[in-house]
């Protein structure tokens, strides 16, 4: 039987099971039984509906999951390393502690999802939707978030380095205590974003919008804010050693009790 026919057959089996067991959780065990597989790694599950399923700790490493619906799914500790997740929908899913290292997530939807303590290292999330998502303690290293929608997302105590966030939306996002190093935010929208207690080094904020952003008890070392819009931005008790604000502009900027000396964190 050709691969495409096998995919359709499996999708049909899954749909029938869900209809017949509508008050039960679809699980990894059920999927393996229906498919006859011994594992989920590298399998093709494109466009299947797994909404509200329980795949806690499941191993989807390298799997083809483009367009899959994981809305409201239970996925703590799941492994999506190098999985293909373009256009997948994880709206309101629980992915706490999951591994998305190297995953291809272009255009994927993580709106209102729980992504605490998740690894997004080397992942491609260009154009992804992460609005209202909780990414506390997330690891983002050498990651693409170009043009992503992260408005009102939570990045508390996140570790973000050597990544590309140009053109992304971070309106009203929360970066409390985040550690950010060598990250490009060119043209990003950071209106009303809260960087209280954040430590930022070598940040590239060329042409970024900061209207109403808040930097309190934070560090901004060796960062470049050329041509940034600083209107109504608050800088209070911030370390600003070796940072450049060339041609930055804005009215009603609050600048109080800051330290301009170049000292390490």
């Amino acid at each position: 039987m050709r691969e495409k026919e096998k995919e359709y057959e499996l999708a049909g089996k899954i749909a029938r099971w869900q209809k017949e067991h509508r008050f039960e959780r679809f699980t990894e065990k059920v999927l393996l039984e229906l498919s006859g597989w011994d594992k989920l790694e590298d399998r093709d599950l494109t466009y299947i509906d797994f909404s509200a399923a329980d795949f806690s700790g499941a191993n989807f490493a390298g799997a083809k999951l483009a367009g899959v619906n994981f809305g409201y799914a239970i996925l703590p500790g799941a492994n999506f390393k190098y999985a293909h997740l373009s256009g997948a929908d994880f709206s309101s899913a629980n992915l706490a502690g999951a591994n998305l290292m190297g995953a291809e997530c272009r255009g994927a939807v993580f709106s209102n999802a729980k992504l605490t303590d998740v690894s997004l290292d080397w992942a491609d999330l260009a154009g992804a939707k992460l609005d209202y998502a909780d990414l506390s303690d997330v690891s983002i290293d050498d990651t693409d978030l170009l043009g992503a929608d992260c408005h009102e997302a939570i990045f508390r105590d996140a570790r973000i380095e050597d990544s590309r966030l140009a053109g992304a939306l971070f309106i009203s996002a929360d970066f409390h205590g985040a550690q950010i190093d060598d990250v490009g935010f060119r043209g990003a929208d950071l209106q009303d974003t809260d960087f209280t207690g954040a430590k930022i080094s070598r940040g590239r904020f060329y042409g970024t919008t900061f209207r109403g952003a808040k930097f309190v008890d934070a560090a901004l070392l060796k960062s470049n804010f050329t041509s940034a819009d600083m209107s109504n931005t608050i800088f209070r008790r911030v370390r600003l050693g070796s940072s450049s604000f060339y041609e930055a502009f804005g009215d009603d900027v609050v600048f109080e009790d800051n330290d301009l000396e170049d000292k390490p964190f």
Side-chain angles (χ1 to χ4, degrees):
M1 186 181 294
R2 290 178 299 178
E3 288 301 313
K4 189 57 66 176
E5 292 175 340
K6 289 181 180 179
E7 292 171 27
Y8 290 143
E9 181 182 358
L10 177 57
K13 288 181 179 179
I14 292 170
R16 286 192 294 275
W17 188 98
Q18 291 170 332
K19 184 177 180 179
E20 294 168 3
H21 302 80
R22 63 183 63 186
F23 298 112
E24 297 179 39
R25 289 275 189 186
F26 191 87
T27 64
E28 178 183 15
K29 180 180 178 181
V30 173
L31 178 55
L32 291 174
E33 288 176 353
L34 292 176
S35 63
W37 299 331
D38 59 351
K39 63 179 182 179
L40 300 178
E41 292 175 78
D42 301 313
R43 298 296 183 179
D44 190 339
L45 294 161
T46 307
Y47 295 108
I48 291 178
D49 184 359
F50 290 131
S51 56
D54 185 347
F55 286 115
S56 301
N59 186 3
F60 289 102
K64 296 177 181 178
L65 298 160
V68 168
N69 183 4
F70 282 110
Y72 294 92
I74 301 170
L75 297 156
N79 183 12
F80 292 96
K81 188 174 182 179
Y82 297 115
H84 303 274
L85 296 162
S86 295
D89 188 350
F90 290 90
S91 297
S92 299
N94 180 357
L95 288 141
N99 182 6
L100 280 83
M101 184 180 292
E104 203 283 287
C105 304
R106 282 181 167 258
V109 178
F110 295 90
S111 301
N112 203 44
K114 185 174 183 179
L115 291 154
T116 54
D117 198 29
V118 164
S119 173
L120 294 174
D121 299 346
W122 314 325
D124 184 353
L125 288 133
K129 287 182 63 64
L130 293 136
D131 48 312
Y132 303 100
D134 186 352
L135 295 105
S136 300
D137 296 299
V138 71
S139 177
I140 298 174
D141 185 357
D142 195 12
T143 300
D144 276 326
L145 279 159
L146 302 171
D149 181 355
C150 304
H151 77 265
E152 297 197 45
I154 300 170
F155 291 89
R156 282 183 172 246
D157 300 313
R159 299 168 301 285
I160 308 173
E161 57 183 308
D162 191 25
S163 294
R164 296 152 294 283
L165 284 66
L169 301 179
F170 292 98
I171 299 170
S172 299
D174 181 354
F175 284 90
H176 267 74
Q179 298 184 47
I180 302 171
D181 181 44
D182 194 18
V183 173
F185 286 88
R186 181 186 289 270
D189 193 337
L190 291 153
Q191 291 186 66
D192 298 315
T193 297
D194 192 344
F195 288 96
T196 298
K199 294 181 178 180
I200 302 173
S201 178
R202 298 184 294 168
R204 301 183 298 283
F205 297 96
Y206 315 116
T208 298
T209 299
F210 284 99
R211 288 176 173 268
K214 181 167 66 174
F215 295 90
V216 178
D217 297 317
L220 289 166
L221 305 183
K222 300 179 180 177
S223 294
N224 194 323
F225 295 87
T226 297
S227 300
D229 182 351
M230 297 289 185
S231 300
N232 302 108
T233 300
I234 297 172
F235 293 91
R236 184 176 290 126
R237 297 185 302 278
V238 178
R239 292 169 55 192
L240 292 160
S242 297
S243 287
S244 171
F245 291 85
Y246 179 71
E247 293 190 347
F249 61 93
D251 298 323
D252 301 315
V253 178
V254 176
F255 201 81
E256 299 175 348
D257 303 319
N258 300 304
D259 184 351
L260 301 180
E261 291 187 33
D262 187 4
K263 295 180 287 189
F265 291 140

